[in-house]
């Protein structure tokens, strides 16, 4: 009875404490829930919990009543215990009812209480069975256990009937109880779905509301606003810590528990050896049962604390990513357009953020590992005394190396990131202008330039990898030689004192030394990483501290209030109903500065801003929009302005989405929408599309013609219904008929602008619509030269600008084919294609990557791994032989021990050297080359159907995985596999019986990973692809920043960004959770095996030696851990191979544009004359549509031919066909008798044609020399001469006129070698002139070989003012036409081009619907032009 009462008292005390704690917490929770609104609809689940909780309460009351017949009824302790249990059960009923209806999450309090009750009852049940024969009748404890288990299972179930208003916002994780969150049961549905089906973004559950980007963005932006001044290097980290302080701190308690359980393992090993080697139980501190129970608590506690800690880190990492991207996005939104670049923003948001997002884990691990080192040294001192100073000394030496690494790593990492940014910037520029790159024949040149930047990037990375390799050698020396020297010196000391090496001390010391050197190595590893991440912190912080856009514009109402309160006389213009008020505006930062600009725009008026190239028109518009820093006063009635930029910005979406993008309202007004598209002449285009206005416009409007893009941007500006509309040369890409119709619909007496009283500021180079203006402002050199109405200005000496060639045309057509075909092909190229290989994997990826890394490098890596794996594991067996040796030849064993570790040390360093200094650079270079070749050689259709951001993500995110993660994952997998093989052999030699745990573990682990791998592989691919959406969002924002801000579309842009960021965070966070699920599952398996090993050692204590047990315990735990790490590294490798799968998939799916038949290379003198002949040519963008049909045309050598027609009539398609950018279905094209379909496309584009596109192709980050002499072969004199011909050398050279120009033929020049961004800025016209200079130099180079290239002009003068157009046409006539070059010019308007046509020689070709309508000679064209002028003057008078 004494034993019964004693154990019962302990259970009773535990129960009293448990019930009291539950009652306190339950009362508090119930009080908080009393007024909470119901969020869950009661159903069968809720009723089941109510019934079970009531039954549990009745059971507790029954046990309290039954206590009267028990042997324990005389003890007040047990009466109090049962009374509190009954009270707790009653309170549980109330709390369960409230919690079920008023919280979406199951009650953690009830779940933990029920788990503790089951443990309590589990201890109480055996004593009841043993000491009471009729226990079932007197104490219904079994029924209570069943009820507790049933209620626990029911309570853990998530709640399904959540109210509609909350159900969509609650994630699966939040609806799960504490056990489900701890063991990640909530992720099981995703595992099931991923195992059986192909996952897509829509299949993923909502993310935890704690991790949503919006609250994190608000918090971090508020924290950034409150930063102290002046800033220092720690400003951004402090802001992050301040913003995420709570998520950071909650990871500390589980980390402390992890340390406690981790350092309990050596005690378990030591006590197990003592238990086995001691025969008398009296001398044993622990019994076999207590040893097994302690092992259970330690290993299960280790698994739970590890996964809880990891879960907190996962949440912190996700929030850090959201916070940093939010800061970058917000800063981009607030920056001046000229100060940001796509490559810079993408590099910061991808490469730098990825370098920082694990900073929380590194900080926690640093202090945690320091604590573990201290604990380990203390335990080691207890075992070996003063010999514990040896590892301290070695750690100190290695820390000096770590200090040097930390000091050097930051700068070198920053240089690496800068090189990555330069490569991505250039890649982005090439991809976004790929059509012009191909037309200009620069595909090979630009690919070589990007390759050069990639090589430079890898060279910068080599410095980081080299120092990392040196540090790894230092860390390995600490990890390997600290245990060796400590054990050896201790053994020598023991030998001199006459004792041998003790078994228990040896293996316990080895275990403790491992737990000292490993955290010491981790600390020395994390500190350089933290310092290295500071480089990324610094880059982001410098970006955040760049000057923000200062919008000094005022609203008219505020300006009037200021004027009234001022004692000075107010401006009389303010008394007028002005919409735009400009006074004393000056811009001094640019060469084309504004000086003292003054004018007002009355309400409902139309004001035209005109002037020559570089007169300051665009800068004036940007000043009114607040996009440049200006001095003076600008006031508007509203800062929300409808803006149509000179180069239309169109985000990828449907036509309807683009037009209605900035409308002010929740619902679209379709009647107004119809009026707008009718006024912009878009109705006919939309009707020709099968999907109508749901047709996708493509990245940068790639699926539309130039005129369609301009009209779409114009429709967007009108549909927004702003009081002010600013149109910057909106008709430059339109044909005359369409332009006249749109002008009539908008500016006519019954036009939309006039009827609605909208104020319009129209920037144009043409004087033909001056009739419509209420006021005209002519700029010259940044000043107002002329101002007034048309009647006043027309009497002065003004230059007549453009002549409209008005030709009727048919309906415009989508140049890229039918929308149905586009959508089908877009799905084919889409990154989210449902591919079965996402589930099953692709074993060919291993061979693909190994081949890229180099077979020799791979063989060297495997050799080093085999050597390292054997010699790092064999010391366990060597120590066993040492401790059991009868001869006790200590020096032999000491020498052997040292040699074994020396070989392992060499192998370890060989692995690191091979993978980081040989395999990673080699594979990075080869895979980048393959990817670059695939993309640059892809057909034009691929770029029309694929977002630029998606393509660019492969060059940033995928290659970052290749550079930094993939090779390490591959080597880790091989290391674990080889180590496992050696450990199994040694384990079989030591304890054959323990070997049977491995097959069981292997089968179990294989089943787990089979389920896990299918889902994790898909999540990784989804994560890579979802990042593309964020990249696309950032790219589109940078491109259209001025347009977004003009419409005050920042809130909408932020909302869309947050949505895309949340969508990208879902697969990222779910993948981390899935890895945590695998970790807890495998850790529990290790715990079960460890407990089994301890139990087996207890059972077989008389059949084995202490050395065998010690070695077996160490090896079996290490072997099973190795097996689990093998699975983890394998799955990590499979996940990282997602980047290789995307590269290889792109290479397999995207066929190059070059065909096998294109092998005929003409002589270098081809073309010698320039004769071109089209013979029944039918061409298309793909195999089904037609953009040219049965075109037959002969162009004689030296002839100047102008191609005219409406937008979409096939003019540009004709040039694209010449460049072999379109698919030629039938017919042939010959140049000087050579069929170009048999000639390599690179030869055609580089030698046969010299092209000048409508949008000049310039690379702002590159030098002036690179932009005009891409081959880098021309002398300074030659380049300067051509720049002088286009009147640009003085523009560039004046800033350096005082500098020493040096030798004109030298390889360097102070002006030519400066980046375009550092030179005086260029207007649109000047950029086109610079492109003309490049064309002149291209002709110069080609002509040097005896060839006479054909000149192609694709609407090259459409955006120019008359004076610049005349200059350009004069140069073309003088340099090309007069030198007998064939010139083919595409033009919407004839204008000044007519003046350069030669009667009887040159011709004009009219196109309509992809066919040649007629061919006119010069006389006919002049008559048409004169008739057009007369007709249009009458038309304007009618307006």
């Amino acid at each position: 009875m004494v034993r019964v009462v004693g154990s019962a008292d302990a259970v009773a005390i535990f129960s009293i404490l448990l019930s009291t704690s539950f009652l306190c917490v339950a009362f508090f929770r119930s009080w908080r829930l009393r007024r909470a609104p119901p969020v869950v609809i009661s159903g069968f689940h809720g009723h089941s919990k109510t019934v079970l909780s009531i039954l549990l309460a009745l059971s507790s009351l029954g046990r309290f009543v039954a206590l009267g017949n028990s042997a324990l009824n005389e003890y007040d302790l047990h009466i109090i215990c049962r009374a509190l249990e009954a009270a707790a059960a009653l309170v549980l009923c109330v709390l369960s009812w409230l919690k079920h209806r008023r919280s979406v999450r199951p009650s953690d309090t009830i779940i933990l209480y029920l788990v503790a009750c089951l443990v309590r009852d589990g201890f109480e049940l055996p004593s009841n069975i043993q000491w009471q024969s009729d226990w079932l009748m007197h104490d219904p404890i079994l029924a209570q256990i069943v009820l507790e288990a049933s209620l626990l299972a029911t309570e853990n179930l998530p709640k399904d009937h959540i109210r509609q208003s909350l159900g969509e916002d609650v994630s699966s994780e939040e609806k799960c109880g504490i056990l489900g969150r701890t063991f990640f049961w909530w992720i099981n549905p995703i595992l099931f779905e991923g195992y059986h089906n192909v996952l897509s973004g829509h299949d993923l559950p909502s993310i935890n509301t704690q991790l949503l980007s919006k609250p994190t963005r608000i918090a971090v932006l508020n924290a950034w606003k409150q930063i102290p001044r002046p800033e220092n290097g720690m400003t951004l980290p402090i802001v992050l810590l301040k913003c995420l302080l709570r998520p950071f701190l909650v990871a500390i308690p589980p980390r402390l528990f992890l340390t406690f359980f981790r350092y309990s393992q050596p005690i378990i090993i030591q006590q197990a050896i003592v238990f086995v080697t001691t025969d008398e139980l009296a001398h044993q501190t622990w019994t076999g049962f207590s040893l097994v129970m302690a092992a259970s608590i330690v290993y299960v506690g280790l698994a739970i604390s590890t996964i809880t800690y990891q879960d907190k880190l996962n949440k912190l990492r996700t929030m850090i990513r959201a916070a940093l991207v939010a800061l970058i996005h917000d800063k981009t939104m607030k920056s001046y357009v000229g100060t940001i670049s796509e490559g810079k923003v993408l590099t910061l948001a991808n490469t730098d953020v990825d370098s920082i997002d694990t900073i929380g884990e590194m900080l926690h691990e640093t202090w945690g590992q320091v604590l573990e080192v201290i604990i380990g040294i203390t335990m080691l001192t207890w075992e070996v005394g003063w010999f514990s100073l040896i590892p301290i000394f070695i750690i100190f030496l290695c820390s000096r190396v770590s200090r040097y690494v930390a000091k050097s790593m930051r700068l070198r990492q920053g240089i690496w990131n800068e090189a990555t940014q330069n490569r991505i910037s250039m890649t982005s520029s090439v991809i976004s202008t790929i059509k012009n790159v191909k037309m200009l024949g620069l595909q090979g040149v630009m690919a070589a330039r990007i390759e050069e930047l990639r090589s430079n990037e890898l060279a910068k990375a080599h410095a980081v990898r080299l120092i990392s390799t040196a540090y790894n050698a230092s860390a390995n020396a600490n990890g390997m030689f600290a245990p060796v020297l400590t054990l050896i010196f201790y053994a020598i000391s023991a030998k001199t004192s006459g004792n041998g090496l003790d078994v228990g001390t040896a293996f316990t010391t080895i275990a403790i030394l491992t737990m000292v050197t490993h955290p010491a190595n981790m600390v020395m590893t994390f500190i350089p990483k933290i310092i290295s991440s500071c480089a990324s912190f610094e880059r982001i912080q410098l970006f955040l501290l760049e000057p923000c856009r200062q919008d000094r514009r005022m609203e008219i109402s505020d300006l009037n209030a200021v004027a009234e309160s001022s004692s000075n006389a107010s401006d009389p213009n303010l008394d007028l109903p002005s919409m735009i008020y400009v006074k004393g505006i000056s811009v001094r930062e640019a060469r084309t500065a504004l000086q003292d600009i003054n004018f007002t725009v009355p309400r409902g008026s139309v004001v035209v801003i005109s002037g020559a190239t570089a007169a300051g028109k665009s800068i004036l518009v940007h000043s009114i929009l607040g996009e440049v820093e200006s001095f003076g006063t600008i006031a508007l009635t509203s800062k929300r302005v409808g803006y149509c930029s000179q180069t239309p910005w169109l985000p990828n979406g449907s036509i309807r989405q683009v037009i209605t993008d900035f409308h002010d309202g929740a619902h679209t007004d379709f009647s107004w929408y119809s009026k707008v598209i009718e006024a912009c002449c878009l109705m006919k285009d939309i009707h020709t599309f099968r999907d109508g206005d749901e047709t996708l416009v493509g990245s940068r409007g790639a699926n539309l013609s130039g005129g369609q893009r301009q009209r779409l941007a114009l429709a967007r500006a009108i549909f927004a219904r702003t009081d002010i509309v600013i149109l910057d040369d909106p008709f430059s890409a339109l044909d005359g008929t369409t332009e006249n119709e749109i002008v009539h619909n908008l500016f006519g007496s019954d036009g939309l602008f006039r009827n609605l009283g909208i104020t319009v500021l129209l920037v144009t180079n043409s004087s033909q619509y001056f009739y419509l203006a209420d006021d005209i402002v002519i700029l010259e050199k940044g000043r107002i030269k002329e101002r007034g109405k048309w009647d006043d200005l027309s009497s002065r000496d003004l230059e007549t600008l453009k002549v409209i060639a008005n030709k009727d045309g048919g309906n415009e057509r989508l140049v890229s084919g039918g929308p149905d075909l586009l959508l089908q092909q877009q799905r084919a190229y889409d990154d989210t294609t449902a591919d079965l290989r996402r589930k099953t994997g692709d074993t060919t990826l291993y061979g693909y990557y190994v081949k890229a890394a180099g077979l020799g490098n791979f063989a060297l890596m495997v050799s080093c791994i085999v050597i390292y794996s054997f010699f790092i594991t064999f010391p366990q067996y060597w120590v066993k032989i040492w401790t059991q040796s009868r001869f006790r030849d200590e020096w032999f064993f000491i020498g052997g021990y040292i040699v074994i570790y020396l070989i392992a040390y060499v192998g370890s360093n060989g692995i690191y050297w091979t993978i980081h200094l040989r395999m990673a650079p080699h594979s990075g270079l080869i895979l980048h080359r393959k990817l670059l070749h695939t993309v640059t050689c892809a057909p034009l259709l691929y770029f029309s159907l694929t977002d630029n951001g998606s393509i660019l993500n492969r060059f940033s995110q995928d290659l970052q995985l290749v550079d930094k993660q993939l090779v390490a994952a591959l080597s880790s997998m091989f290391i674990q596999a080889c180590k496992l093989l050696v450990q199994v052999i040694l384990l079989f030699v030591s304890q054959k019986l323990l070997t049977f745990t491995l097959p069981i573990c292997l089968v179990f682990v294989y089943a787990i990973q089979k389920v896990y791998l299918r889902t994790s592989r898909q999540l990784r691919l989804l994560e890579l692809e979802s990042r593309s959406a964020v990249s696309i969002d950032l790219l589109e924002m940078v491109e259209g920043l001025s347009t977004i801000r003009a419409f005050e579309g920042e809130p909408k842009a932020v909302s869309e960004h947050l949505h895309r960021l949340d969508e990208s965070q879902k697969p990222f966070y779910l993948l981390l959770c899935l890895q945590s699920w695998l970790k807890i599952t495998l850790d529990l398996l290790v715990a079960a095996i460890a407990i089994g090993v301890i139990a087996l050692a207890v059972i077989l204590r008389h059949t084995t030696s202490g050395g065998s047990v010690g070695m077996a315990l160490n090896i079996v735990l290490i072997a099973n851990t190795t097996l689990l790490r093998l699975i983890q590294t394998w799955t990590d490798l499979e996940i990282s191979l997602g980047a290789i799968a995307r590269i290889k998939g792109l290479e397999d799916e995207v066929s190059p544009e070059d065909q096998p038949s294109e092998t005929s290379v003409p002589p270098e003198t081809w073309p010698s004359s320039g004769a071109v002949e089209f013979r029944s040519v039918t061409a298309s963008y793909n195999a089904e549509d037609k953009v040219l049909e049965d075109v037959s045309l002969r162009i004689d050598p030296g002839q100047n031919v102008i191609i005219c027609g409406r937008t979409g009539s096939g003019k540009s398609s004709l040039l694209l066909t010449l460049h072999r950018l379109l698919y030629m279905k039938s017919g042939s094209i010959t140049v000087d008798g050579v069929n170009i379909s048999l000639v390599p496309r690179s030869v055609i584009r580089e030698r046969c044609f010299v092209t000048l596109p409508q949008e000049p192709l310039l690379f702002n980050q590159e030098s002036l020399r690179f932009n005009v002499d891409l081959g880098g072969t021309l002398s300074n004199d030659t380049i300067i001469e051509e720049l002088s011909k286009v009147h640009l050398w003085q523009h560039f050279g004046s800033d350096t006129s005082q500098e020493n120009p040096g030798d004109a033929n030298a390889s360097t020049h102070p002006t030519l070698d400066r980046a375009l961004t550092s030179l005086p800025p260029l207007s649109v016209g000047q950029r086109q002139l610079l492109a003309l200079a490049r064309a002149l130099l291209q002709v110069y180079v080609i002509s040097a070989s005896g060839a006479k290239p054909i000149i192609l002009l694709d609407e090259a003068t459409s955006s120019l003012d008359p004076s610049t157009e005349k200059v350009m046409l004069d140069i073309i006539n003088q340099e090309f036409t007069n030198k007998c070059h064939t010139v083919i010019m595409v033009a919407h308007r004839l204008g000044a081009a007519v003046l350069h046509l030669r009667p009887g020689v040159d011709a004009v070709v009219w196109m309509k619907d992809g066919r040649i309508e007629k061919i006119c000679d010069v006389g006919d064209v002049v008559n048409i032009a004169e008739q057009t002028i007369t007709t249009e003057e009458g038309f304007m008078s009618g307006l």
Side-chain angles (χ1 to χ4, degrees), residues 809-1001:
N811 297 337
E812 298 180 41
R813 300 180 298 162
L814 184 69
V815 299
S816 302
D820 53 336
L821 183 61
L822 281 175
L823 292 177
Q824 293 172 7
Q825 292 178 342
Q826 189 152 17
R827 296 187 191 103
Y829 280 100
D830 199 350
D831 283 332
T832 56
T833 302
D835 187 355
L836 185 61
R837 286 176 295 180
R838 286 174 180 259
K839 291 198 308 176
T840 59
D842 186 359
T843 56
T844 61
L845 295 177
Y846 290 92
Y848 185 83
Y849 177 71
V850 169
K851 186 177 180 181
L855 294 177
N857 294 334
F858 178 74
L860 181 60
M861 181 196 73
V862 172
S863 301
C864 293
I865 287 174
V866 171
I867 294 172
Y868 167 75
S869 300
F870 176 79
F871 286 99
I872 200 64
T873 308
F874 188 71
Q876 296 281 348
Y877 188 70
W878 186 261
V879 171
K880 177 200 170 189
I881 299 174
W882 185 356
T883 56
Q884 294 179 351
S885 174
R886 297 181 180 180
F887 303 102
R888 310 298 290 178
D889 188 357
E890 301 289 345
W891 297 112
F892 170 76
F893 288 107
I894 289 173
Y897 201 54
I898 294 174
V899 171
I900 290 171
Y901 268 105
L902 279 174
I903 298 175
Y905 179 72
V906 173
S908 174
N909 292 329
I911 295 171
Y912 204 90
W913 178 79
T914 303
I915 65 175
H916 287 284
L917 294 180
R918 293 182 64 89
M919 292 183 67
H922 194 272
S923 62
L925 190 63
I926 296 300
L927 291 173
H928 176 268
R929 185 175 299 159
K930 287 176 176 288
L931 179 60
L932 183 63
H933 179 267
T934 301
V935 171
T936 54
C937 294
L940 193 60
L941 180 64
Y942 170 73
F943 299 94
S944 299
L945 303 179
T946 310
D947 277 308
N948 291 344
S950 178
I951 301 173
L952 195 59
N953 198 50
R954 299 178 186 274
F955 286 92
S956 56
Q957 189 64 36
D958 290 1
L959 287 177
Q960 185 178 349
L961 283 174
V962 171
D963 288 343
K964 298 182 178 180
Q965 297 183 24
L966 185 55
V967 67
L970 180 66
S971 63
S972 296
M973 188 195 74
F974 276 95
I975 289 173
Q976 301 303 331
C978 293
K979 286 173 67 174
L980 180 64
L981 179 62
V982 176
Q983 289 163 359
V984 169
I985 295 173
L986 292 178
L987 186 61
F988 184 79
V989 172
S990 173
Q991 285 288 336
K992 298 179 179 59
L993 188 60
L994 294 177
T995 311
F996 290 105
T997 63
L998 286 175
I1000 299 172
C1001 180

Side-chain angles (χ1 to χ4, degrees), residues 217 329 333 549 627 662 1041 1044-1056:
R217 180 188 179 96
H329 183 269
M333 292 287 292
R549 167 180 174 255
E627 292 298 332
F662 297 112
L1041 195 54
I1044 294 171
R1045 290 199 288 236
F1047 285 93
E1048 291 189 341
E1050 294 96 327
K1052 186 176 185 296
V1054 170
S1055 177
E1056 292 178 353

Side-chain angles (χ1 to χ4, degrees), residues 1125-1179:
R1125 287 181 179 174
L1126 173 61
I1127 300 301
Q1128 287 179 324
T1129 54
W1130 180 25
T1131 53
D1132 289 344
L1133 176 61
E1134 283 283 333
I1135 291 170
S1136 298
L1137 281 173
I1140 302 298
R1142 282 159 53 88
I1143 295 174
K1144 184 176 182 294
L1146 188 70
E1147 188 178 9
D1148 294 339
E1149 294 169 8
V1150 180
S1151 301
E1153 59 178 352
D1154 297 314
Q1155 300 299 316
S1157 60
E1158 299 170 0
T1159 57
S1160 177
V1161 179
E1164 290 187 2
T1165 57
W1166 179 83
S1168 57
S1169 60
V1172 181
E1173 185 174 2
F1174 290 78
R1175 297 176 182 172
S1176 304
V1177 172
T1178 298

Side-chain angles (χ1 to χ4, degrees), residues 434-444 936-940 1153-1154 1158 1166 1215-1222 1236 1239-1251 1338 1342 1349-1350 1352:
I434 190 65
K435 185 177 78 170
N436 286 348
V437 168
K438 288 177 178 287
M439 290 177 66
L440 291 169
L442 303 179
Q443 177 179 323
T936 54
C937 294
L940 193 60
E1153 59 178 352
D1154 297 314
E1158 299 170 0
W1166 179 83
L1215 296 191
L1216 293 178
T1217 307
L1218 283 173
H1219 286 98
R1220 301 296 314 283
L1221 287 170
L1222 297 187
I1236 64 172
V1239 179
R1241 302 181 192 218
S1242 59
V1243 174
I1244 295 173
R1245 297 166 188 170
E1246 294 172 12
R1247 285 172 43 190
C1248 186
F1249 301 112
V1250 172
T1251 306
Q1338 284 180 292
I1342 297 172
I1350 299 167
L1352 304 180

Side-chain angles (χ1 to χ4, degrees), residues 604-754:
S605 63
V606 176
V607 175
V608 171
I609 306 292
S610 189
T613 297
K617 304 183 297 297
S618 295
I619 290 182
L620 178 58
V621 169
H622 290 157
S623 299
I624 296 173
L625 294 175
E627 292 298 332
V628 295
E629 190 172 0
S630 59
F631 301 91
T633 303
I634 298 177
L636 301 90
T637 54
S638 172
K639 293 184 180 180
R640 184 170 179 265
V641 176
Y643 176 53
C644 181
S645 61
Q646 194 170 16
T647 302
W649 170 71
L650 302 178
N652 194 7
S654 68
I655 291 176
R656 180 185 296 180
Q657 289 173 339
V658 171
I659 294 176
T660 62
D661 200 17
F662 297 112
H663 78 282
D664 191 11
H667 303 286
T668 302
D669 185 346
F670 286 102
S671 62
W672 173 242
Y673 175 77
S674 299
K675 289 181 181 178
V676 170
I677 60 176
E678 185 69 41
C680 296
C681 298
L682 283 168
M683 189 67 74
K684 295 179 181 179
D685 300 86
I686 292 175
H687 285 164
T688 61
F689 306 153
R690 180 173 178 179
D691 287 342
D693 57 4
E694 293 299 324
T695 300
L696 298 178
V697 302
S699 184
R700 291 191 173 187
N703 297 333
L704 304 177
S705 68
Q708 289 166 336
R709 289 196 294 269
Q710 277 200 332
R711 285 180 286 137
L712 203 59
L714 180 62
R716 176 178 59 198
I718 300 169
F719 185 83
R721 285 190 176 184
T722 57
D723 294 331
I724 302 171
V725 173
I726 297 178
L727 307 177
D728 190 357
D729 204 6
F731 310 125
S732 59
L734 304 183
D735 61 274
T737 302
T738 305
E739 181 179 354
N740 289 336
E741 188 174 351
I742 292 175
V743 169
H744 174 70
N745 294 336
L746 299 180
F747 296 96
S749 56
D750 294 327
L752 289 181
F753 289 151
R754 296 295 187 185

